[in-house]
């Protein structure tokens, strides 16, 4: 059973900058309040403050946070630590980064009960198994004996929810818990989260930039921009009759419109030619087959200025395909031709010009950017390596790149840790653009971005196609996004290419059943969509 949450006049500062400005709201037990807004709007900063926590360099300068009868901000440090994991629990965006790879799942899920002395080990494990059942996890009796790397991303996200809920918290904070999941897994996780919150009548705050997801989860929505509340209202009211202009902008950005495709002329040259490609991981046998074969017999062609989308669930081989093209993983069979020249299998074997012409933008900018180097230094390296720039020409080009991805010049002197998730991803894209490549391999580049920034990045990519003729292999689990930006879609499952759909056929069917499943699994921007899906599934069975 949850407890009422009441926030009054919350302000959070970082030096002279105000990150959250005089914010007030309340949530009742059994209700879900969504905090939405673009990167840097103060969503996560606000959510962390509900636990009495402010990130390094920040401070909670004013206000009151009350959970039931507890005044969180009046507690001392030891009392706040006792509060976290028991009275209030936090479910982070990246489950993979939240688990210790060297300990079993059960050890980590029951840890809050150990820290807070809530119950004995046997009782805690029985409670964990019950939570595994509630969260629809496979093999609930034995999954706890596994290690984090032995379960899928969606399962790990639900296991993190079990860890958060095992202490029966009065307030649950969910911070972008489905952002990195593919669409079919996202539905399972959303369904499990929503059922557990409803059945336990928990008080919940759901941080997200995905309005379609929020529409299925939240009773009320609070819209943030620049740390200030722009609008708060019932979810249905926000979705159908928003009052604030910024809310209207968010809703418009959440409905993907087709971007200019950078039309490929009939005589455009073939840029990338993937022939019968197979690849995997682990030791190879006498026939050269790896222990874990991920890709099998993939054929794909991409022309200059073209964008091809690659979709499929987690584990379908999308990222492995990009890594093989980039030279980060050597294929065990087949070949890759780039501009009619066969590419060597590994990075070390490719020449400098081939390295420059093919760039990759990784999904998780947090792990792709060196945390100890400034943004200026990160962008300088490819400019020095590929272009030989130095001095003022180097600094000028860095400024141009920041402008290109719509980042302020001031970020050049910052470390990645001082940027929001969306800002880090734009740095990630700017680094790839620094090489002036012919082909950019985009691995889920907008999945961690808010709708406004994501739309801006997609528009930027379309603009680069028109102006520079750059080509994209666009990997994503978001079919709506892929349909908005790509000329063709390659559908993958279990390491195989199932079908390829041209833009002209996006709205025409019938398509492969798996393509149809992916299309049905993308949340729609309206309330009741998930309930409809559940009813249809129940009728089908």
């Amino acid at each position: 059973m949850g407890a009422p949450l009441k926030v009054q006049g919350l302000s959070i500062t970082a030096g002279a900058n105000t990150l959250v400005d005089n914010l007030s709201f309340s949530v009742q037990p059994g209700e879900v309040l969504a905090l939405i807004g673009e990167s840097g709007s103060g969503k996560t900063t606000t959510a962390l403050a509900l636990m009495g926590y402010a990130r390094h360099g920040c401070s909670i300068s004013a206000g009151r946070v009350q959970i039931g009868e507890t005044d969180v901000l009046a507690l001392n440090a030891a009392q706040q630590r006792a509060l976290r994991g028991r009275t209030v629990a936090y479910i982070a965006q990246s489950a993979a980064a939240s688990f210790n790879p060297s300990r079993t799942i059960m050890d980590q899920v029951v840890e809050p009960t150990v820290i807070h002395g809530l119950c004995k080990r046997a009782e805690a494990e029985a409670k964990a198994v019950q939570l595994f059942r509630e969260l629809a996890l496979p093999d609930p009796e034995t999954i706890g004996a596994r290690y984090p790397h032995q379960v899928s991303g969606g399962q790990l996200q639900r296991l993190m929810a079990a860890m958060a809920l095992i202490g029966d918290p009065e307030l649950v904070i969910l911070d972008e818990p489905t952002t990195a999941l593919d669409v079919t897994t996202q539905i399972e996780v959303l369904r499990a989260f929503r059922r557990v919150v409803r059945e336990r009548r928990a008080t919940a705050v759901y941080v997200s930039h995905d309005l379609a997801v929020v529409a299925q989860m939240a009773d009320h929505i609070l819209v943030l921009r620049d740390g200030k509340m722009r609008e708060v209202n019932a979810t249905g009211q926000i979705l159908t009759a928003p009052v604030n202009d910024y809310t209207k902008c968010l809703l418009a950005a959440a409905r993907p419109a087709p971007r200019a495709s950078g039309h490929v002329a009939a005589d455009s040259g073939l840029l990338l030619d993937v022939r019968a490609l197979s690849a995997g991981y682990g030791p190879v046998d006498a026939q050269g087959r790896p222990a874990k074969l991920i890709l099998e017999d993939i054929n794909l062609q991409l022309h200059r200025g073209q964008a091809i989308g690659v979709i499929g669930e987690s584990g379908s081989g999308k990222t492995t395909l990009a890594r093989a093209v980039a030279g980060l993983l050597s294929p065990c069979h087949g070949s890759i031709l780039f501009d009619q020249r066969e590419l060597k299998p590994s990075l070390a074997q490719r020449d400098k010009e081939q390295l420059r012409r093919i760039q990759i933008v990784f999904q998780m900018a947090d792990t792709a950017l060196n945390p100890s180097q400034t943004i200026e230094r990160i962008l300088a390296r490819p400019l020095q390596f590929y272009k030989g720039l130095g001095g003022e020409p180097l600094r000028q080009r860095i400024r141009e790149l920041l402008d290109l991805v719509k980042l302020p010049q001031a970020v050049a002197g910052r470390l990645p840790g001082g940027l929001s998730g969306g800002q880090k991803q734009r740095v990630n894209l700017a680094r790839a653009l620094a090489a002036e490549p012919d082909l950019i391999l985009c691995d889920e580049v907008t999945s961690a971005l808010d709708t406004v920034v994501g739309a801006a990045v997609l528009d930027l990519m379309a603009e680069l196609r028109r102006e520079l003729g750059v080509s994209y292999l666009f990997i994503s689990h978001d079919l709506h996004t892929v349909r908005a930006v790509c000329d063709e879609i390659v559908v993958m499952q279990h390491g195989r290419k199932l079908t390829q759909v041209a833009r002209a056929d996006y709205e025409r069917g019938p398509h492969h059943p798996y393509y149809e499943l992916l299309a049905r699994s993308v949340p729609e921007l309206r309330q009741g969509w998930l309930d409809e899906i559940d009813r249809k599934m129940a009728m089908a069975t």
Side-chain angles (χ1 to χ4, degrees):
M1 180 72 176
L5 168 67
K6 189 172 185 180
V7 176
Q8 294 175 294
L10 180 66
S11 293
I12 303 168
T13 56
N17 299 315
T18 299
L19 306 182
V20 174
D21 190 4
N22 194 29
L23 195 60
S24 298
F25 59 89
S26 61
V27 192
Q28 296 304 311
E31 289 186 348
V32 179
L33 172 74
L35 300 180
I36 68 165
E38 58 192 285
S39 297
S41 63
K43 304 187 301 293
T44 296
T45 302
T46 298
L48 293 173
L50 304 182
M51 302 188 292
Y53 179 80
R55 286 182 280 203
H56 182 70
C58 303
S59 63
I60 301 171
S61 54
R64 181 183 176 92
V65 175
Q66 192 164 339
I67 304 173
E69 300 300 317
T70 304
D71 186 346
V72 175
L73 303 185
L75 303 177
N76 61 36
Q79 290 171 324
Q80 286 182 348
R81 285 196 296 273
L83 178 94
R84 297 167 192 157
R86 185 172 185 178
T87 303
V88 56
Y90 182 79
I91 301 175
Q93 177 176 348
S94 176
S98 302
F99 277 86
N100 185 331
S102 67
R103 296 175 59 203
T104 66
I105 287 165
M106 183 61 80
D107 276 349
Q108 297 178 73
V109 168
V110 302
E111 190 171 44
T113 66
V114 175
I115 291 172
H116 296 290
L118 299 178
C119 57
K120 293 182 179 178
R121 174 77 185 215
E123 185 182 344
E125 290 192 5
K127 194 171 183 179
V129 170
Q130 179 57 33
L131 276 167
F132 297 161
R133 287 197 189 95
E134 289 183 38
L135 290 162
L137 283 156
D139 307 316
E141 301 285 348
T142 58
I143 194 171
R146 301 183 201 172
Y147 288 86
H149 71 276
Q150 294 175 314
V151 299
S152 72
Q155 290 167 0
L156 206 56
Q157 202 73 28
R158 281 177 278 173
L159 288 162
M160 187 161 60
M163 189 193 308
L165 295 168
I166 199 166
D168 294 318
E170 295 175 343
L171 171 65
V172 181
I173 301 166
L174 302 98
D175 191 354
E176 301 275 16
T178 64
T179 295
L181 304 179
D182 62 68
V183 286
T184 52
T185 305
Q186 177 178 251
I187 282 188
E188 295 175 9
V189 174
L190 280 178
R191 188 178 287 123
F193 282 176
R194 190 175 66 166
R195 184 176 62 249
V196 169
V197 167
R198 284 178 175 176
E199 290 176 355
R200 291 171 174 257
R201 283 193 56 76
T203 306
V205 173
Y206 196 104
V207 176
S208 183
H209 62 252
D210 191 331
L211 277 163
V213 166
V214 163
Q216 316 314 315
M217 288 291 296
D219 301 290
H220 294 84
I221 294 175
L222 188 156
V223 182
L224 277 170
R225 190 184 192 191
D226 300 328
K228 295 182 179 181
M229 183 174 71
R230 304 295 170 170
E231 185 170 357
V232 63
N233 215 323
T235 300
Q237 186 72 20
I238 291 281
L239 296 180
T240 59
V243 175
N244 187 268
D245 287 342
Y246 177 65
T247 308
K248 295 174 184 177
C249 175
L250 285 178
L251 287 164
R255 297 182 171 99
R259 267 80 186 167
S261 64
H263 179 68
V264 182
D267 60 351
S268 294
L270 182 61
L271 184 65
L272 179 70
D273 189 3
V274 177
R275 300 179 178 177
L277 188 74
S278 296
Y281 300 92
V284 297
D285 60 20
Q287 285 73 43
R289 287 174 62 90
K292 181 70 172 175
L293 191 66
I294 304 295
L295 289 180
E296 193 165 0
D297 197 30
I298 301 295
N299 293 281
L300 183 150
Q301 291 187 332
L302 183 148
H303 291 78
R304 293 182 184 279
Q306 191 179 25
I308 289 182
V310 181
I311 64 167
E313 297 175 276
S314 296
S316 62
K318 306 185 303 293
T319 295
T320 301
L321 173 61
R323 290 174 61 84
V325 173
L328 298 173
L329 175 69
S330 297
C332 61
H333 185 267
S335 60
I336 304 172
L337 277 70
F338 186 75
D339 206 7
Q340 301 180 21
R341 284 183 58 199
E342 185 166 350
L343 288 173
K344 297 294 185 182
S346 70
L347 274 179
Q349 297 171 298
R350 297 183 184 179
D351 62 42
K352 189 174 180 179
E353 185 64 3
Q354 289 175 327
L355 297 178
R356 181 193 69 78
R357 295 180 67 190
I358 302 176
Q359 295 289 309
I360 187 167
V361 179
F362 296 101
Q363 176 180 356
M364 300 304 295
D366 279 333
T367 54
L369 302 176
N370 188 327
S372 66
Q373 293 191 348
T374 65
I375 303 308
E376 182 176 42
R377 179 63 188 142
I378 288 170
L379 296 181
R381 291 197 67 181
L383 294 171
Q384 292 168 327
F385 181 73
Y386 293 118
K387 302 293 182 180
L389 295 183
E392 183 53 32
L394 174 64
R395 289 188 289 272
Q396 176 60 29
R397 183 57 181 152
I398 290 172
R399 289 193 290 269
E400 291 172 358
L401 286 169
L402 292 174
D403 285 341
L404 195 60
V405 296
K406 298 177 173 58
L407 282 172
Q409 302 294 323
V411 307
R414 295 192 206 168
L415 295 173
L419 304 184
S420 71
Q423 289 172 328
K424 280 184 276 197
Q425 189 62 297
R426 281 180 276 174
V427 172
N428 207 10
L429 180 59
R431 179 172 58 182
L433 294 170
E436 298 180 11
D438 295 307
L439 172 63
I440 299 181
L441 309 168
C442 302
D443 190 1
E444 302 276 15
V445 294
T446 59
S447 68
L449 303 182
D450 62 73
T451 49
V452 172
V453 173
V457 168
L458 294 178
D459 285 335
L460 170 63
M461 292 171 66
E463 184 180 324
L464 292 168
R465 288 181 69 192
R466 291 192 300 271
E467 295 185 357
L468 306 177
V470 65
S471 303
Y472 299 107
L473 194 64
F474 194 94
I475 290 163
S476 180
H477 60 252
D478 185 343
L479 185 58
H480 284 181
T481 297
V482 169
R483 288 170 65 154
V485 301
C486 295
D487 305 304
E488 297 183 22
I489 297 175
V490 170
V491 183
M492 292 182 62
Q493 186 182 34
H494 305 316
R496 288 184 172 272
K497 176 181 169 183
L498 297 184
T499 187
Q500 189 159 344
V501 182
R503 176 183 287 275
D505 296 323
Y506 286 176
E507 304 300 331
R508 295 195 298 237
H511 295 299
H512 190 283
Y514 182 62
Y515 177 91
E516 300 288 358
L517 171 64
L518 292 175
R520 290 195 305 270
S521 299
V522 180
E524 295 180 11
L525 188 54
R526 58 184 176 86
Q527 283 185 295
W529 171 83
L530 187 55
D531 293 322
E532 285 181 19
I533 294 295
D534 288 345
R535 282 196 297 271
K536 289 176 181 176
M537 288 179 61
M539 290 172 64
T541 55

